[in-house]
């Protein structure tokens, strides 16, 4: 059986074209994964800092509410003592009236101070909650970015194995969404798909 050199050459050309197509897709997949993974790493650093800020805000809120309760108890004790002094003062002899009035003034001042400090602590605790909510807003953005990019990388790996260009295109959709949410988190944009965040929370 004779071998036709033209057929061998044609077969090699077909294999070379197939290999080139295979190589081209793999190059696109590799570059895309490298870019997405690098961006995800940057987002992870920022997200970790946000989580630390959330933890600090939560701790501050609990501390301020605990101090609020302590001030509230002090205020109530001062008011109770003040009431007892006011009720007892009229029945005391004239020689003791000055001492009672002095004690009444002291407890009035103490109750007023505790009420003022209690209100300041309440305002601080409410601000801590606002800080926590603002940080949580951006944390959700990075969570969505992480989810989108992870899905994209998984689909890109399958695209490289199956050599399907259409799957590469599909994989870009969650990747671009994840990148957009990551940029929104880094830039401080108020973009928050509540429905998706609700599903993941």
């Amino acid at each position: 059986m004779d071998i036709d050199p033209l057929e061998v050459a044609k077969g090699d050309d077909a294999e070379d074209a197939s290999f080139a197509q295979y190589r081209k897709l793999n190059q696109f997949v590799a570059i895309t994964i490298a870019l997405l993974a690098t961006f995800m790493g940057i987002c992870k650093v920022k997200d970790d800092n946000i989580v630390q800020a959330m933890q600090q805000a939560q701790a501050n809120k609990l501390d301020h509410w605990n101090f609020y309760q302590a001030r509230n108890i002090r205020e109530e004790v001062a008011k109770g003592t003040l009431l007892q002094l006011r009720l007892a003062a009229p029945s005391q002899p004239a020689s003791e009236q000055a001492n009672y009035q002095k004690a009444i003034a002291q407890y009035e001042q103490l109750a007023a101070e505790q009420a003022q400090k209690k209100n300041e602590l309440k305002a601080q605790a409410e601000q801590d909650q606002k800080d926590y909510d603002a940080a949580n807003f951006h944390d959700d953005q990075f969570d969505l970015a992480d989810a989108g990019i992870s899905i994209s990388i998984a689909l890109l790996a399958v695209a490289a194995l199956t050599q399907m260009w259409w799957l590469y295109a599909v994989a870009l959709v969650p990747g671009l969404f994840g990148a957009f949410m990551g940029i929104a988190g880094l830039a401080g944009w108020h973009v928050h798909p509540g429905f998706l965040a609700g599903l993941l929370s």
Side-chain angles (χ1 to χ4, degrees):
M1 177 176 186
D2 293 333
I3 298 174
D4 186 354
L6 293 176
E7 288 183 6
V8 172
K10 287 179 183 176
D12 289 342
D13 289 343
E15 287 180 11
D16 287 344
S18 176
F19 180 75
Q21 190 75 0
Y22 174 81
R23 185 176 176 189
K24 186 175 182 182
L25 177 59
N26 282 354
Q27 287 174 342
F28 273 90
V29 168
I31 292 169
T32 306
I33 288 176
L35 291 173
L36 289 174
T38 302
F39 183 72
M40 189 164 57
I42 294 168
C43 290
K44 180 67 175 163
V45 172
K46 181 69 173 176
D47 190 31
D48 287 346
N49 291 335
I50 288 174
V51 169
Q52 289 176 2
M54 289 171 63
Q55 291 171 342
Q56 186 62 54
Q58 187 76 351
N60 289 342
K61 182 183 77 169
L62 293 175
D63 287 345
H64 287 138
W65 280 122
N66 287 335
F67 285 133
Y68 172 88
Q69 292 298 336
R71 295 288 183 192
N72 190 46
I73 291 170
R74 290 178 187 175
E75 181 188 9
E76 292 303 318
V77 169
K79 285 181 177 179
T81 305
L82 182 60
L83 179 61
Q84 290 176 351
L85 288 171
R86 284 177 176 163
L87 292 173
S91 62
Q92 298 302 314
S95 59
E96 292 293 322
Q97 287 297 320
N99 291 333
Y100 268 83
Q101 293 306 317
K102 183 179 177 182
I104 287 171
Q106 287 176 343
Y107 276 97
E108 283 177 343
Q109 182 180 0
L110 178 61
E113 286 176 356
Q114 296 305 312
Q116 178 186 354
K117 291 178 180 178
K118 180 183 77 171
N119 291 333
E120 290 172 358
L121 287 166
K122 181 181 179 183
Q124 288 175 333
E126 290 172 346
Q127 182 59 48
D128 292 333
Q129 182 63 48
K130 290 178 183 176
D131 293 341
Y132 178 88
D133 292 340
N136 189 45
F137 182 91
H138 293 298
D139 182 58
D140 286 345
Q141 290 175 321
F142 287 114
D143 289 343
L144 291 171
D146 189 36
I149 291 173
S150 297
I151 292 168
S152 179
I153 289 174
L155 291 174
L156 286 168
V158 176
L161 288 173
T162 59
Q163 289 300 296
M164 296 180 179
W165 277 97
W166 66 266
L167 188 55
Y168 174 82
V170 169
L172 291 180
V173 175
L176 291 173
F177 172 75
F180 174 74
M181 292 308 300
I183 292 170
L186 291 171
W189 297 342
H190 289 282
V191 178
H192 191 265
F195 174 72
L196 287 176
L199 286 177
L200 297 175
S201 63

